[in-house]
């Protein structure tokens, strides 16, 4: 670790990026990474960063050795000093989340974005990539034990000489991995493609909002009943989407039991987050609409008292729960492809399809030979 390159030489850092989330981060890294490198590694170096977005056909068993085989053909020979492959694939060593794997001999590193978590993930990614580049270019050999954003340095196992792996230990690591994967799934976009579910939600809510019986029922409900109705309706829509569209993963040949549990956890959190976001939006929409179209005199006559802001809020709360149940029936009319795309994200669906296609081609070639 003592063969340092001349300080005046320009550094050419080739960053090969895959998947949607990594592509977005690539735009920031291309502009901001040189400044980060000057701040965290060396200020007297002309750092040059280029980025490429390429499709990666791989599963969760991808390691830095495989990444090196994938990245090396994409880099111009002799015109780079470090290659960093960013991926949104979750990486684990046993049950411990892996954030970074570095192969100094190949001058290539593999960074798993989900292990960095969801909180300030872009900032964390910039700092981790800058430190990794410092390690690969041997400008900052002392960074190896102090990659605080990436976790703890783990000694390489048998058959892994020369590799450096960073894990995120304990509960923090598991929470970071799950929240990072949920962020990659973009739960706030979940219902953008579920037009029938949205139609069911708003149709049911609209009916309840102008129905006298609903006004009477809501006026007699206490906070405990309202909370219970909310929980039941949210769980009903979440469970209906997962079960009806077969989003629950079971272990199979290429998916271990531990990864199937991880995927199911992420799916539940993603769907629940999306449903909860819809519920909150629906509540405030109904509250505003009820204040606009229901006059205090008409509303008060039905509920037998002067209508207050509290009464309008309770009505919107109760009708929102009714709307979630209607959305459950509406989501059952969606085709499985649409719901799966909303739950898992486009990048996973394309990756799995490519893996299936490649497996089919290999089997056909083997049968012919």
């Amino acid at each position: 670790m003592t063969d340092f390159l001349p300080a005046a030489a320009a550094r050419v850092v080739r960053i090969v990026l895959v998947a949607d989330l990594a592509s977005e981060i690539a735009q920031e890294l291309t502009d901001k990474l040189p400044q980060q490198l000057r701040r965290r590694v060396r200020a007297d170096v002309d750092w040059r960063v280029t980025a490429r977005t390429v499709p990666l056909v791989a599963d969760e068993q991808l390691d830095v050795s495989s990444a090196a085989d994938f990245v090396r053909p994409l880099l111009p020979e002799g015109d780079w000093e470090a290659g960093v492959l960013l991926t949104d694939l979750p990486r684990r060593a046993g049950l411990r989340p892996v954030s970074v794997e570095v192969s100094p001999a190949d001058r290539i590193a593999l960074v798993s974005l989900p292990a960095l978590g969801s909180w300030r993930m872009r900032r964390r990614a910039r700092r981790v990539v800058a430190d990794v580049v410092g390690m690969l270019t041997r400008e900052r050999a002392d960074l190896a034990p102090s990659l605080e954003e990436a976790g703890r340095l783990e000694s390489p196992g048998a058959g892994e000489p020369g590799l450096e792996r960073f894990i995120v230990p304990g509960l923090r690591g598991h929470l970071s991995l799950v929240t990072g994967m949920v962020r990659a799934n973009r739960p706030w976009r979940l219902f953008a493609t579920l037009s029938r579910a949205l139609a069911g939600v708003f149709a049911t809510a609209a009916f309840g909002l102008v129905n006298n019986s609903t006004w009477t029922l809501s006026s007699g409900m206490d906070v405990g009943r309202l909370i219970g109705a909310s929980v039941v309706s949210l769980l009903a829509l979440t469970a209906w989407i997962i079960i009806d569209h077969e989003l629950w993963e079971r272990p199979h040949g290429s998916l271990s039991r531990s990864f199937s549990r991880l995927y199911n956890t992420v799916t539940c959190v993603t769907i629940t987050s999306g449903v909860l976001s819809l519920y909150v939006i629906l509540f405030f929409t109904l509250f505003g609409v009820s204040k606009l179209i229901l006059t205090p005199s008409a509303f008060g006559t039905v509920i037998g008292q002067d209508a207050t802001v509290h009464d309008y809020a309770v009505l919107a709360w109760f009708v929102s729960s009714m709307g979630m149940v209607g959305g459950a029936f509406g989501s059952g009319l969606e085709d499985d492809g649409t719901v799966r795309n909303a739950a898992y994200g486009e990048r996973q669906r394309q990756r799995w399809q490519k893996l299936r296609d490649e497996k089919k081609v290999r089997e056909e070639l083997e049968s012919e030979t």
Side-chain angles (χ1 to χ4, degrees):
M1 305 292 277
T2 59
D3 299 330
F4 296 97
L5 295 172
R11 301 292 183 263
V12 179
V13 183
R14 300 293 185 183
I15 305 176
V16 182
L17 307 170
V18 297
D20 294 338
L21 183 61
S23 300
E24 294 178 2
I25 294 176
Q27 304 305 317
E28 292 189 11
L29 284 177
T30 302
D31 299 328
K32 298 181 180 181
L33 186 57
Q35 180 180 358
Q36 193 79 280
L37 287 167
R38 286 191 292 270
R39 182 185 303 119
R40 295 181 67 83
V41 184
R42 285 188 61 169
D44 60 342
V45 172
D46 179 19
W47 298 99
R48 301 177 186 176
V49 178
T50 61
R52 292 187 61 180
T53 301
V54 293
L56 174 65
V57 181
D59 58 18
E60 295 75 14
Q61 305 306 317
L62 176 71
D63 56 20
V64 70
S65 299
S66 302
D69 295 335
F70 175 78
V71 171
R72 197 177 292 108
L74 303 173
L75 303 179
E77 185 175 356
D79 191 27
W80 61 281
E81 294 181 27
V84 180
L85 174 60
L86 299 185
T87 178
D88 56 6
L89 281 171
R91 295 272 298 106
R92 294 203 293 188
L95 295 178
R96 297 169 300 174
V98 176
S99 58
V100 177
E101 281 189 346
V102 182
S103 175
D106 295 311
R107 292 180 294 161
I108 288 176
L110 173 64
V111 177
S112 176
L113 294 174
L116 302 181
S118 60
W119 177 252
R120 295 182 176 177
M121 190 267 292
R122 294 173 183 270
R123 174 178 172 272
R124 288 171 178 261
R126 289 196 301 269
R127 297 183 64 176
V128 166
V129 172
D131 288 351
V132 165
V133 170
M135 293 172 60
L136 292 174
T137 58
R138 296 179 293 183
E139 289 289 355
R140 287 286 303 279
D142 60 303
L143 284 172
S146 62
L147 270 167
E148 68 280 357
E149 300 283 357
R152 186 179 66 203
L153 179 64
E154 181 187 64
S155 300
E160 299 177 324
L163 299 184
E164 295 178 340
R165 175 184 296 149
F166 290 84
I167 63 171
V168 188
L171 180 62
R172 171 204 163 196
H174 294 292
L175 290 177
S176 295
L177 184 62
V178 170
T179 57
M181 293 176 68
V182 170
R183 177 188 171 118
N185 277 343
R186 301 172 182 178
W188 55 89
R189 296 187 179 183
L190 175 62
F191 282 91
T193 56
L194 296 180
S195 56
R196 293 180 177 86
L198 287 173
V201 167
F202 283 101
T204 305
F207 172 78
L209 193 62
V210 298
N211 188 285
N212 291 359
S213 298
T214 305
W215 302 355
T216 304
L217 285 173
S218 67
S219 65
M221 297 189 73
D222 55 26
V223 174
R225 291 179 181 272
L226 289 169
I227 293 176
S230 299
V231 172
V232 171
S233 63
L234 290 171
L235 291 178
L237 181 52
T238 300
W240 186 274
I241 292 175
I242 294 175
I243 296 173
D244 186 63
H245 298 283
E246 300 179 351
L247 301 181
W248 195 259
E249 290 289 339
R250 295 176 174 82
H252 52 78
S254 60
L255 185 65
S256 66
R257 185 176 299 276
S258 63
F259 268 106
S260 68
R261 286 197 295 264
L262 175 63
Y263 284 152
N264 289 332
T265 299
V266 171
T267 297
C268 290
V269 175
T270 299
I271 301 296
T272 302
S273 300
V275 171
L276 183 60
S277 299
L278 176 63
Y279 190 92
V280 172
I281 294 172
L282 182 62
F283 168 78
F284 283 106
T285 301
L286 292 176
F287 178 74
V289 172
S290 65
K291 289 286 290 180
L292 181 65
I293 67 174
L294 301 182
T295 62
S297 57
F299 190 21
T301 300
V302 173
I303 64 177
Q305 62 186 28
D306 293 335
T308 63
V309 173
H310 174 266
D311 295 314
Y312 284 101
V314 169
L315 176 62
W317 190 349
F318 178 56
V319 174
S320 296
S321 299
M322 291 177 56
M324 291 293 104
V325 177
F329 291 104
S331 68
L333 301 175
E334 301 283 357
D335 64 90
D336 287 337
T338 300
V339 178
R340 183 174 292 276
N341 178 49
Y344 289 94
E346 182 66 19
R347 68 201 175 285
Q348 284 93 339
R349 185 181 66 82
Q350 291 180 349
R351 182 180 294 127
W352 291 344
Q353 185 61 50
K354 288 177 181 179
L355 285 171
R356 287 193 293 267
D357 292 343
E358 284 201 349
K359 182 179 179 181
K360 182 178 180 180
V361 171
R362 287 196 301 268
E363 291 176 348
E364 292 177 350
L365 292 176
E366 292 175 358
S367 62
E368 292 177 358
T369 57

